[in-house]
Amino acid sequence: MMIPLFLFGWNAMGQSYLQAGLVNQFYKSRQQALFWFALDTDAAPLRQELLSLLDSAAFHGLDSDRYHLKEMRTWPASPGGSNVSWQRQKDEWLTDAAIAYLKSLREGTGIYEQVSYDGVSSSYNVEEDNLLLEGLSRVRTADQLRALAATLIPASAAYDTLRAGLLQALTAGDRQKIRQLSPALNLYRWIHHHPFPRCIVVNIASASLSYYEQDTVRLRMKVVVGKPSTRTPRFAAWCDQLILYPYWNVPHKIAVNEFLPVFRKSPSLVDVMNMQLLDGKGKIVDPLKIDWSRLNKDNFPYALRQSTGCDNALGVLKFNLTSPYDVYMHDTNFKNAFQSAYRYYSHGCIRVEKPFELANAIMGEKLDTTFLAAGLKDQQPRPLRLENPVPVFVVYLNADIDADGKLRSYRDIYHLLK
């Protein structure tokens, strides 16, 4: 009995399978029956349609060669013309290429070269892959395969505009535009293929935020993101709670590098800046009773936080994010930064222009904005847990669609384009 090569993760030409596990699952559901050479399908046109789809992969920001196309174009003839083993190996290879390509159409590719953490997608992967395999297993003709591929592409004007821009760039041979638009299309598919009723997308490159409901932008606003030297990380996480009147717990690196030199010269500025020093037990320490001359960045035993109120660096509202980074979205006490076209000032966190509007959108108009707008001092932080957490995608799109539906290019402020 011949052992399928995909069980070892390798194809007939000694190359690694792209989706060995799903290939295994696909043939197991078919009791190991062939698919691309099956007698109950219009086999030759079906195989040709797959090659045609792969050949046009670049039109969706994909690399045809990634799906074995170059090798399949030069397949040697099978020994004797009807060798069962060789036909079997071809069938597996075509299946691997098809699954990998269809997954890329649905959810993008190269995503984890563009984001460093994804705490959102994993809970949906198994169900989505099962649906894809079920869809492929029902295909019998070239038309059905083409229709299946079409259902995996986002049906939106924004995606169509991005894709039209890519087609134009490919025709013109504009490599710079291609480098911008190919990742943008893949990120768009990754974000919007999820069945989320709502989500938040922060584009670092444009320093902007979009709040979506059912794939429609309901709210747009400017944001301030990290400086090139203190970049905002790229990730996907959940906004699981809002914190009214938050403390700003100053990261240790910022505390010792930026605040310690100031406070050593003038300890009274701790109170002037509405800061608090906490010892190892969380007890507030009087800054005037500290021997500052003995402290340095390697010997600073205190935690530093800024008390609540309108002069807090986080403003009066924080959007907590479930990422491994000490990064979140928040209000700010420095509103003038939103008037600038260059909005890359933060240590990595995301300052939002319209925090109350965004909070009301995700809370369902339940926020007491009068209480927040008062900017009261020394309030205790008040967490509000969201019954339905909202996914937040923080990405870097050098090409995106603006509020007028126009394709826009943005400066590569972090120098990430390859």
Side-chain angles (χ1 to χ4, degrees):
M1 177 181 176
M2 185 188 73
I3 300 176
L5 289 175
F6 58 73
L7 294 180
F8 299 102
W10 297 88
N11 61 32
M13 297 301 175
Q15 293 186 340
S16 176
Y17 274 101
L18 299 168
Q19 297 292 335
L22 293 181
V23 172
N24 183 17
Q25 185 178 336
F26 182 77
Y27 283 107
K28 186 176 180 180
S29 70
R30 293 176 56 79
Q31 290 75 51
Q32 305 304 325
L34 298 182
F35 182 77
W36 304 96
F37 294 89
L39 297 177
D40 63 341
T41 63
D42 198 3
L46 180 59
R47 294 194 299 270
Q48 186 57 48
E49 178 61 27
L50 175 60
L51 296 182
S52 297
L53 288 173
L54 299 180
D55 196 39
S56 62
F59 299 152
H60 294 282
L62 304 172
D63 181 359
S64 297
D65 290 343
R66 182 177 184 271
Y67 309 101
H68 314 311
L69 181 63
K70 184 183 295 184
E71 293 80 6
M72 288 191 289
R73 291 289 195 197
T74 59
W75 262 342
S78 60
S82 59
N83 183 276
V84 174
S85 175
W86 185 236
Q87 192 177 73
R88 174 76 193 190
Q89 292 166 1
K90 284 185 176 180
D91 206 84
E92 294 171 8
W93 206 0
L94 287 164
T95 298
D96 184 54
I99 292 173
Y101 176 72
L102 293 173
K103 276 178 64 68
S104 296
L105 271 190
R106 181 188 66 193
E107 60 201 53
T109 192
I111 299 304
Y112 299 114
E113 298 171 8
Q114 299 193 64
V115 297
S116 54
Y117 173 78
D118 180 5
V120 170
S121 300
S122 60
S123 58
Y124 298 89
N125 288 342
V126 172
E127 180 181 359
E128 290 175 345
D129 286 342
N130 287 340
L131 290 173
L132 188 150
L133 294 184
E134 290 171 10
L136 181 60
S137 69
R138 290 192 293 268
V139 167
R140 294 292 180 273
T141 67
D143 287 343
Q144 289 173 349
L145 180 60
R146 192 181 311 114
L148 173 62
T151 65
L152 302 175
I153 301 169
S156 75
Y159 185 82
D160 291 343
T161 301
L162 286 170
R163 186 163 177 245
L166 178 60
L167 294 177
Q168 184 177 10
L170 288 167
T171 301
D174 188 336
R175 295 183 179 181
Q176 175 68 14
K177 286 288 186 183
I178 294 169
R179 284 198 298 269
Q180 289 181 321
L181 288 159
S182 292
L185 282 164
N186 281 288
L187 282 171
Y188 192 97
R189 292 198 298 273
W190 172 60
I191 292 168
H192 294 285
H193 86 278
H194 293 292
F196 300 130
R198 54 189 183 160
C199 72
I200 295 169
V201 179
V202 175
N203 184 1
I204 299 169
S206 62
S208 63
L209 178 152
S210 300
Y211 169 71
Y212 287 84
E213 290 182 353
Q214 304 296 342
D215 292 331
T216 299
V217 178
R218 299 299 185 189
L219 184 62
R220 296 180 187 269
M221 66 189 69
K222 299 173 184 176
V223 296
V224 172
V225 291
K227 297 175 288 188
S229 59
T230 55
R231 297 176 178 179
T232 297
R234 297 166 291 164
F235 61 91
W238 298 92
C239 177
D240 63 341
Q241 66 175 342
L242 308 184
I243 301 173
L244 314 186
Y245 285 98
Y247 287 122
W248 178 34
N249 294 299
V250 182
H252 182 75
K253 185 176 181 180
I254 298 175
V256 298
N257 289 331
E258 299 186 20
F259 287 101
L260 176 57
V262 174
F263 295 157
R264 286 185 65 183
K265 292 181 180 179
S266 181
S268 62
L269 287 177
V270 174
D271 289 332
V272 172
M273 298 175 68
N274 205 25
M275 292 289 189
Q276 296 174 337
L277 291 160
L278 308 177
D279 63 19
K281 297 181 179 179
K283 183 179 179 181
I284 298 176
V285 178
D286 186 344
L288 300 180
K289 294 181 179 180
I290 294 175
D291 184 356
W292 290 92
S293 65
R294 300 178 60 183
L295 301 180
N296 56 56
K297 65 179 182 179
D298 298 318
N299 173 34
F300 188 72
Y302 305 107
L304 182 65
R305 76 181 182 194
Q306 190 172 36
S307 192
T308 60
C310 61
D311 55 354
N312 186 286
L314 306 189
V316 294
L317 185 56
K318 171 183 172 181
F319 300 79
N320 191 63
L321 302 178
T322 60
S323 82
Y325 312 109
D326 189 18
V327 167
Y328 36 82
M329 303 184 302
H330 63 85
D331 180 25
T332 177
N333 63 341
F334 182 56
K335 309 289 188 183
N336 289 340
F338 297 115
Q339 304 305 314
S340 173
Y342 184 95
R343 297 189 296 279
Y344 308 92
Y345 295 116
S346 83
H347 289 92
C349 281
I350 303 158
R351 309 174 194 171
V352 297
E353 180 187 23
K354 304 173 184 176
F356 295 175
E357 290 91 330
L358 181 61
N360 272 328
I362 64 178
M363 291 287 292
E365 304 293 338
K366 296 179 181 178
L367 196 65
D368 185 354
T369 55
T370 302
F371 169 64
L372 290 174
L376 305 173
K377 284 186 174 292
D378 299 323
Q379 293 290 308
Q380 284 298 308
R382 183 185 302 179
L384 298 176
R385 185 161 297 277
L386 297 180
E387 294 181 10
N388 298 299
V390 178
V392 178
F393 298 90
V394 182
V395 294
Y396 190 80
L397 290 165
N398 290 99
D400 203 358
I401 307 304
D402 66 15
D404 297 321
K406 304 296 184 181
L407 179 61
R408 290 280 306 278
S409 294
Y410 299 99
R411 179 182 173 188
D412 185 16
I413 190 70
Y414 286 177
H415 303 290
L416 294 177
L417 285 184
K418 297 179 181 180

